[in-house]
Amino acid sequence: MTILDRTKFIKDGIFVIGSLLAESITDPQSTNRTSNEKFVLTAWPDRPVRYPVISVEQTELNSKSIGTKGLNSLTSINMEIMIFSKSTNERDILAGSIFAVMEQNQAVISASGLIDQRFYNITNMDDSGSQGLHKKLLGVKYSWPSQ
């Protein structure tokens, strides 16, 4: 497990969540994906993708000093997990799987330094039209006590 440090905590935090999801959720297109295609992304690729895909991004942070010397801080980190799918059923099944994996693996996530996991938002963001993508955003917040 990656343990977050002060200089790389954004990159490493995204990696921790992305890796957990990639290892724990079955890719419905695993037999059809080529070796350069990924199911869980931490950055949107410049090449075409095969749906469904899951992206993990850090969207906000807020840090405050704790203690008298100001060397330690408690940082609140918001992440968005976005599901992109061609089907609402597949989108919702994946959202349930993500929620379950993250709830069941809080100890694993906490070992990296991300504690106090809280889901704060689940929103459908579907495109219109028959060719539109079905998207669901899951917002999750962590606290990270740094030293």
Side-chain angles (χ1 to χ4, degrees), residues 111-122:
S112 73
L114 295 172
I115 60 172
D116 299 331
Q117 176 176 281
R118 298 173 305 282
F119 281 89
Y120 66 89
N121 184 21
I122 297 180

Side-chain angles (χ1 to χ4, degrees), residues 4-11 13 58-67 70-79 109 112-118 140-147:
L4 278 62
D5 73 28
R6 193 178 287 258
T7 60
K8 301 183 303 180
F9 76 94
I10 294 173
K11 176 184 168 289
Q58 184 268 328
T59 58
E60 183 179 333
L61 67 93
N62 184 341
S63 186
K64 66 179 179 178
S65 294
I66 54 176
L71 298 175
N72 299 328
S73 63
L74 182 63
T75 302
S76 175
I77 302 170
N78 291 11
M79 294 194 190
I109 296 168
S112 73
L114 295 172
I115 60 172
D116 299 331
Q117 176 176 281
R118 298 173 305 282
V140 63
K141 181 180 287 197
Y142 294 95
S143 295
W144 178 59
S146 65
Q147 304 157 17

